Amino acid sequence: MVSLEHFLVVGAVLFGIGLWIALSKRNAVLILMGIEIMLNAVNLTLVAFSRFVKSDTPIAGHVFVIFIITVAAAEASVALAMVVSVYRNRGTIDVDQIDLLRF
Amino acid sequence: MSGVGPVSAFYVLAVLSIGSALMVMAARSIIHAVLFLVLFFVSLAAMFVLLSADFVAVAQLLVYAGAIGVLVVFAILLTPSREQRGMETKFVGPGLLAGAVVAGTVIFIAFNTNWPTASNDFPSTVDAIGQALLNRWALPFEIASVLLIAAMIGAIVIVGGRGVDLDPGAAGPSARLVRRER
C-alpha cells in the first residue's frame, strides 16, 4: 500500500539533498544542479497531492507543475548563460572567488 | 495505490531517485554528477507515470532530461577548471544539517496533517490539462510564453553581448588580464 505520505517523504528527502548540494558545493554549475533537484522534489510533491487529495479540480496540480517546469527551464538557461559569462570575465566559476560585490 | 506492481515500483524508484541525487553530491567528477542528475530526472519521470501524470512525465523527460541535461553539459564543457576538478565542497556538515532539518520538518508536517484523501485515477491528463491551460489558466499561459522569450533573449544577450568573436586568441588575453589583476 503506497499512500500520500510515502511520496511526501520521498519529496522531502530529495528537497533536503538538493539543499545540501546547493549549500555545500563551490562550483556554480553544481549549485544550479542542487536547485534543479529541489525544484523536482517540489514537482513530485505537487503531483502526489494532485493524485491523492480530494479536490474539485485535481488537474490544477499538474498545471502548476507545467508552469514550474517552464520557469525552471528559463531559470536554467539564464543562470547557465551567466555562469559562462562570469567564466569569460574572471576565469573561474568558484563562487568563493566571485566576490566583486562583497564589501 | 496497492498491489505488488505499483508498490515495488514505488520503492525501486524511490531508492533510485534518492540514490542518484546523493551521487550528484558524492560523484568524483563533475561529468559523472551530470549523468547522475539525468538519471535522477528520468527516475522522477517514472515516478510521475506511477502517479498517473502522463503529460507531466513526458514534459519532464523532454525538458529536464533532454534540454536541461544538455544545457548543463554545455556549461561544464565551456567552463573548464585547470587546477580543480570542480567538485570542491565547503561547509558539508552545516549544509547536511540544514537539509536534514528542512526534510525532517516537512516529514513531520506530512505525518501530522489530516489530508482529505481521495483516489484521483486520471485516465488521461493531456485533454484535461489542455482544457485547463486554455480556459482557466489562459493568462498565466500567455505570460509563460513571454517569460520564455525574455529568457531566450536574455541568455543570448548575456553570453554573446559583444557579438560573435571569430578570433580564437581574443578570449585568452582578457582572461589572463583579469587573472593578473587579482
Side-chain angles (χ1 to χ4, degrees):
Chain A
M1 181 69 193
V2 179
S3 63
L4 174 64
E5 280 82 5
H6 290 76
F7 287 98
L8 293 187
V9 167
V10 173
V13 169
L14 288 176
F15 190 90
I17 295 171
L19 186 62
W20 184 28
I21 294 172
L23 286 179
S24 59
K25 290 290 182 188
R26 285 168 57 188
N27 189 311
V29 177
L30 271 158
I31 292 173
L32 284 169
M33 285 160 66
I35 292 172
E36 297 294 338
I37 290 176
M38 288 159 75
L39 283 165
N40 269 287
V42 173
N43 284 351
L44 175 66
T45 309
L46 280 170
V47 173
F49 275 128
S50 168
R51 170 75 172 75
F52 285 113
V53 171
K54 195 157 160 283
S55 160
D56 293 336
T57 53
I59 209 71
H62 292 200
V63 176
F64 208 159
V65 169
I66 298 295
F67 284 127
I68 290 177
I69 289 176
T70 311
V71 174
E75 172 253 16
S77 63
V78 173
L80 292 172
M82 284 169 66
V83 166
V84 172
S85 177
V86 165
Y87 180 81
R88 275 194 199 160
N89 286 318
R90 296 188 63 90
T92 181
I93 51 168
D94 188 335
V95 290
D96 277 352
Q97 294 177 36
I98 306 170
D99 51 4
L100 208 61
L101 288 178
R102 205 163 160 194
F103 69 93
Chain B
M1 195 184 293
S2 55
V4 181
V7 172
S8 54
F10 169 77
Y11 284 108
V12 167
L13 289 174
V15 168
L16 194 62
S17 58
I18 292 175
S20 54
L22 282 175
M23 283 307 291
V24 175
M25 181 74 196
R28 299 286 294 280
S29 81
I30 192 162
I31 287 291
H32 292 174
V34 180
L35 294 180
F36 278 113
L37 186 76
V38 171
L39 177 63
F40 167 77
F41 289 152
V42 172
S43 64
L44 223 61
M47 199 90 104
F48 290 151
V49 173
L50 186 63
L51 284 164
S52 63
D54 47 1
F55 183 74
V56 174
V58 172
Q60 166 94 6
L61 276 182
L62 281 177
V63 176
Y64 274 111
I68 291 185
V70 171
L71 205 59
V72 172
V73 169
F74 266 111
I76 288 169
L77 295 183
L78 285 175
T79 59
S81 55
R82 248 165 265 113
E83 58 274 3
Q84 304 145 354
R85 303 195 62 187
M87 295 303 288
E88 296 77 26
T89 52
K90 200 177 185 183
F91 299 128
V92 177
L96 179 60
L97 186 69
V101 166
V102 171
T105 311
V106 175
I107 290 171
F108 177 78
I109 292 169
F111 276 106
N112 283 283
T113 308
N114 233 339
W115 306 109
T117 52
S119 191
N120 306 319
D121 250 332
F122 304 111
S124 166
T125 62
V126 181
D127 187 24
I129 287 177
Q131 296 281 348
L133 274 181
L134 290 180
N135 289 315
R136 188 171 169 193
W137 284 282
L139 182 64
F141 182 69
E142 300 295 335
I143 293 173
S145 63
V146 176
L147 173 80
L148 278 179
I149 195 154
M152 196 170 77
I153 295 172
I156 293 171
V157 168
I158 290 170
V159 173
R162 291 167 304 189
V164 180
D165 218 336
L166 291 176
D167 185 4
S174 66
R176 273 202 297 280
L177 185 70
V178 171
R179 214 164 290 130
R180 226 181 296 133
E181 278 172 9
R182 281 185 32 242

